Amino acid sequence: MKLEILTKTDNKEVQNKIIAGIKDLINFKNLEPGEKLPSERKLSEKFGVSRSNVREAIQKLEFYGILKPMPQSGTFIANIGITAINGMIEDILELEDPDFKSLVETRILLELKTARLAAIRRTESDLKRIRQALDAYNKMVLEGKDAVQEDLLFHLAIAKASGNSTIETLMLIITPGIITNFEKHHVCDENQVILAMQEHEEIYEAIEKQDSQLAKNKMKLHFDILYQYCYNAKLVT
Amino acid sequence: MKLEILTKTDNKEVQNKIIAGIKDLINFKNLEPGEKLPSERKLSEKFGVSRSNVREAIQKLEFYGILKPMPQSGTFIANIGITAINGMIEDILELEDPDFKSLVETRILLELKTARLAAIRRTESDLKRIRQALDAYNKMVLEGKDAVQEDLLFHLAIAKASGNSTIETLMLIITPGIITNFEKHHVCDENQVILAMQEHEEIYEAIEKQDSQLAKNKMKLHFDILYQYCYNAKLVT
DNA sequence: CATTTTAAATTGGTTAACCAGATTGGTTTG
DNA sequence: CAAACCAATCTGGTTAACCAATTTAAAATG
């Protein structure tokens, strides 16, 4: 129950094997993009794996926009050119699980942007939602309770207000990794949490009065302290 | 074959219904994070859907780090707090498909960062890979062929050199959307493509001599022109 | 011979039965 | 009474059969 990786690992190896096989198929049997892949049954037979495994691999490539299964018709290769598909699949196969540092680095990058965009684009309802998240955070802190989740929701509310659905999606994707790592590293101490209340307030006010530069700077300050706390190093943006 | 959304739409509705059901389950039956979800069989019966649908929904929530299926044991709720889970699931349910503008905006944000980081962290093999991608692009352009894919691979090579696996993953995720939209909008004309050769070269040189600020500026220039071309508006970074 | 019809084969999706490992609760054993 | 054991049960994963829509090519029709 603690080892969360092992059971999925062989599965991932099988998946990567299938994905590599599909890549070879596209290269070797020169299946043109836009064409159909062999049926799931044939692939499962060809690669010596279950059809479920083939479907999972296809789903993964569908997530990256490379394949598109069409019911009762076939699975089509995205029409984005054989070179791009090759490069992307290679990258996907080599992708390593993100480390904590790259997660934090990316989060800061995204959040500085969402702060700026939120200040520019926030609607009244956005503002209301951010305020609610902020109040919830303060309430927990003042009660002496752990407020990691509320902190997170405050930041997600800002991401939503940024009006950029792509960034919002990306924030959601990296969020769980952030949380689990934060809890693992015991990042937030008492002082941090209290201080963050004030910082959050300032970020909120900057977004409220639509001062994008100020919002970015306040967010940067917020993370600057966090970053130093994590790494004993100054944040470079 | 052209309508790529319809067949998947009902599926998405079913999935969201299941995800919402799981959310209610966590809230209403107050399943604590860290605990087990009801079995897939029970969920499929409870929601009146197929077990496959339940599995797909679980996979989606697994992708966002909310659930963790353990073989022969059960599907566990991530130990990140009920509030965070609620907020995240709500966001996931409301997520809309990213629009072109948010894709471009996000891509520029990420690429400015990768350029800077690549300049700082690039290894010799990174450099070699970027050079190869650059040459491949130039070759295609000089032959008068379409080089959208090669352009993409050049940028992905830089992302890889950034040494930030999270950003690299995010780049991969947004890439297919970028490509298809670019081809749909016929963004790149002859002049752009020729000009980009020079811009790429300058980006490469900046990364080579590890001048991070220069790399960022050159990348910014590269996108600045592209952005104006797309929107007849000046890029704000 | 071209066009339409139609029926057989193929497709991704769904369902149900099955598997091996994990869990659980009662029973045995020291 | 506590610890060890064991079998019944439950789990996610896998397999195979099935479904309805689609594609195909052969057959019927003008």
Side-chain angles (χ1 to χ4, degrees), chain A residues 34-37 66-70 73-78, chain B residues 1:
Chain A
E35 284 298 311
K36 265 197 298 191
L37 219 58
I66 293 176
L67 296 182
K68 191 91 200 164
M70 304 292 278
S73 174
T75 298
F76 289 80
I77 304 168
Chain B
M1 181 176 144

Side-chain angles (χ1 to χ4, degrees), chain A residues 27 76 86 88 92 117 138-139 144 153 161 166 168 190 210 226:
Chain A
N27 281 322
F76 289 80
N86 260 304
M88 287 186 65
I92 290 171
L117 293 179
N138 292 344
K139 183 167 181 286
L153 292 182
T166 303
E168 196 192 342
E190 185 73 12
Q210 303 201 276
L226 194 63

Side-chain angles (χ1 to χ4, degrees), chain A residues 7-126:
Chain A
T7 51
K8 279 280 165 180
T9 301
D10 3 31
N11 202 314
K12 192 172 183 180
E13 282 175 15
V14 172
Q15 263 197 30
N16 279 354
K17 173 179 148 193
I18 299 172
I19 291 176
I22 292 177
K23 171 170 168 280
D24 289 343
L25 221 54
I26 294 175
N27 281 322
F28 203 57
K29 302 264 182 150
N30 59 319
L31 286 176
E32 291 294 313
E35 284 298 311
K36 265 197 298 191
L37 219 58
S39 72
E40 295 178 353
R41 290 165 180 83
K42 287 176 185 166
L43 290 178
S44 71
E45 189 186 0
K46 184 177 182 66
F47 298 140
V49 297
S50 74
R51 202 181 142 198
S52 324
N53 291 138
V54 173
R55 298 192 101 240
E56 282 173 23
I58 290 177
Q59 273 181 38
K60 184 166 185 178
L61 291 181
E62 182 191 8
F63 173 75
Y64 286 104
I66 293 176
L67 296 182
K68 191 91 200 164
M70 304 292 278
Q72 285 81 39
S73 174
T75 298
F76 289 80
I77 304 168
N79 204 0
I80 54 173
I82 200 168
T83 310
I85 287 178
N86 260 304
M88 287 186 65
I89 291 184
E90 270 171 35
D91 278 355
I92 290 171
L93 288 176
E94 291 174 9
L95 263 186
E96 51 198 38
D97 287 337
D99 53 307
F100 188 32
K101 188 163 188 175
S102 88
L103 272 171
V104 172
E105 196 171 76
T106 308
R107 183 188 173 189
I108 293 172
L109 171 71
L110 293 178
E111 296 244 25
L112 293 186
K113 187 72 173 185
T114 58
R116 287 197 54 197
L117 293 179
I120 296 171
R121 300 174 183 165
R122 98 285 188 288
T123 65
E124 285 303 316
S125 66
D126 286 330

Side-chain angles (χ1 to χ4, degrees), chain B residues 175-208:
Chain B
T175 288
I178 296 276
I179 298 183
T180 51
N181 277 291
F182 263 53
E183 293 189 341
K184 197 190 299 172
H185 292 74
H186 299 93
V187 171
C188 302
D189 67 3
E190 184 73 9
N191 290 334
Q192 283 300 319
V193 164
I194 302 284
L195 189 59
M197 280 179 49
Q198 178 61 25
E199 293 170 358
H200 283 179
E201 195 65 43
E202 291 176 355
I203 294 169
Y204 173 80
E205 286 169 8
I207 293 175
E208 183 182 30

Side-chain angles (χ1 to χ4, degrees), chain B residues 8 11 36 41 49-53 56 71-73:
Chain B
K8 280 278 166 181
N11 203 314
K36 265 196 297 191
R41 289 166 181 80
V49 297
S50 74
R51 200 183 144 197
S52 323
N53 292 138
E56 283 174 21
Q72 287 82 39
S73 174

